Amino acid sequence: MGRQLRLSGPWSLDAAALAGRDWPNWLSNPRLSGTMDLAGSPQAPQLRLRVGQPQQHVLGPWQAELRWQPGRLDLESFRSRDLQASGSLPLAIDAGGVRSGPLLARLRLDNLPLSRLNPLVGTTLLGQLSAEGLLRGSLKDPRPDLNIRLQAPGAGPLRLNETWRGSLRDRAVRLRPEQPAVDGDLQARLNHHWLPEQVDLRRGQGGVRLTGTPQRFRWQAQDLTLEGLSLALGPRAIPRPLDRKSTRLNSSHTVISYAVFCLKKK
């Protein structure tokens, strides 16, 4: 019988120091900690890691269990209060370095408050996001195949008092409202940072197009039905419904202003 490896104990890692740079404010706690178990022969070792954080800005507290054996890395479980995931990644370590294959992961997201994403996108988001499905492809360019649901979404002063369902395939989002609601659909294209660079919203016989970045969208509206929308203005930002069926929005601006809306009565 050959020599066997056996090593176990706690570990911790300051990821910010390892990266040699400052982390963004939203990634407020880059320190990771957990336990590890290394076993097997030197030719075919197996490593099991348990890792987590007591608090993370987007996910809250989370824990994960991973297992590595020659040629493969398995995410056996990832658990936070909103997200559950598991998956596998072909992963080889040899004299040429680290080589990875296509990722395959399954995830489920339940009612994530979109407000937690505000530091990432640089604007105020509202509502809750749920998603379920697969993530495939390379680590550098993963391709989602998800069914998603948005409840009471909003951005800045605008809130939409509806639930929308649809899909995220690759970098394309397509959603439709649950009934009863004004008939419509939403299509969005995401950039390589997974932020929207173009959004087309149709409601009734009109619609609005947004292009640019969430920090500074250029938008143009034509006969956009405002039924179901709420607008929060003033120091107390109390949402007030824009539910008059005869009201349409026709305007074009560089940013979505808190105070300037051009409404035309029909």
Side-chain angles (χ1 to χ4, degrees):
M1 296 182 62
R3 181 178 300 177
Q4 296 291 302
L5 299 173
R6 187 65 184 176
L7 179 66
S8 63
W11 64 275
S12 65
L13 174 67
D14 187 344
L18 182 66
R21 58 178 175 82
D22 293 332
W23 284 62
N25 292 333
W26 62 267
L27 197 57
S28 56
N29 184 11
R31 179 171 291 277
L32 304 174
S33 62
T35 62
M36 74 169 188
D37 292 287
L38 178 64
S41 67
Q43 296 77 24
Q46 296 191 23
L47 176 66
R48 184 180 294 272
L49 289 176
R50 295 174 181 86
V51 59
Q53 290 181 304
Q55 186 62 35
Q56 202 275 339
H57 182 84
V58 176
L59 298 173
W62 64 271
Q63 291 183 334
E65 295 187 11
L66 301 97
R67 183 181 64 174
W68 178 81
Q69 53 189 334
R72 182 184 177 96
L73 176 66
D74 291 315
L75 174 62
E76 296 186 332
S77 69
F78 180 100
R79 299 181 302 274
S80 73
R81 58 193 175 195
D82 308 304
L83 177 64
Q84 298 180 40
S86 61
S88 63
L89 177 73
L91 187 68
I93 304 175
D94 52 31
V98 178
R99 294 177 286 107
S100 64
L103 169 71
L104 177 59
R106 179 174 294 277
L107 63 86
R108 177 173 177 175
L109 184 68
D110 292 309
N111 299 321
L112 174 74
L114 290 174
S115 58
R116 293 194 207 154
L117 304 180
N118 292 351
L120 281 73
V121 300
T123 191
T124 301
L125 298 179
L126 302 166
Q128 293 181 321
L129 171 65
S130 298
E132 186 170 10
L134 299 175
L135 196 62
R136 298 185 176 97
S138 69
L139 290 176
K140 292 184 178 180
D141 190 23
R143 299 292 177 172
D145 184 2
L146 303 174
N147 295 320
I148 59 178
R149 181 184 67 191
L150 277 173
Q151 294 176 278
L158 284 176
R159 304 181 186 184
L160 184 57
N161 303 314
E162 297 171 356
T163 297
W164 287 58
R165 289 182 181 269
S167 64
L168 170 58
R169 306 280 186 266
D170 292 338
R171 298 187 187 277
V173 178
R174 292 180 174 84
L175 299 172
R176 290 187 60 84
E178 290 185 350
Q179 298 301 317
V182 176
D183 183 53
D185 60 69
L186 180 146
Q187 297 187 35
R189 186 175 69 237
L190 308 182
N191 62 21
H192 64 284
H193 294 300
W194 298 98
L195 297 176
E197 60 184 10
Q198 180 173 310
V199 179
D200 289 287
L201 172 64
R202 180 183 64 83
R203 284 174 61 79
Q205 301 302 313
V208 61
R209 167 169 286 190
L210 300 93
T211 55
T213 66
Q215 295 94 332
R216 193 170 180 83
F217 270 129
R218 172 73 183 179
W219 64 283
Q220 183 172 4
Q222 182 176 2
D223 291 336
L224 177 65
T225 301
L226 300 182
E227 181 184 359
L229 286 166
S230 295
L231 181 64
L233 295 177
R236 298 178 64 184
I238 299 175
R240 301 188 182 279
L242 300 172
D243 57 2
R244 296 168 295 177
K245 295 184 179 180
S246 61
T247 304
R248 303 288 187 271
L249 175 61
N250 290 274
S251 189
S252 177
H253 293 281
T254 302
V255 295
I256 297 179
S257 171
Y258 273 63
V260 180
F261 284 87
C262 301
L263 302 179
K264 182 172 69 175
K265 296 287 257 177
K266 291 245 177 154

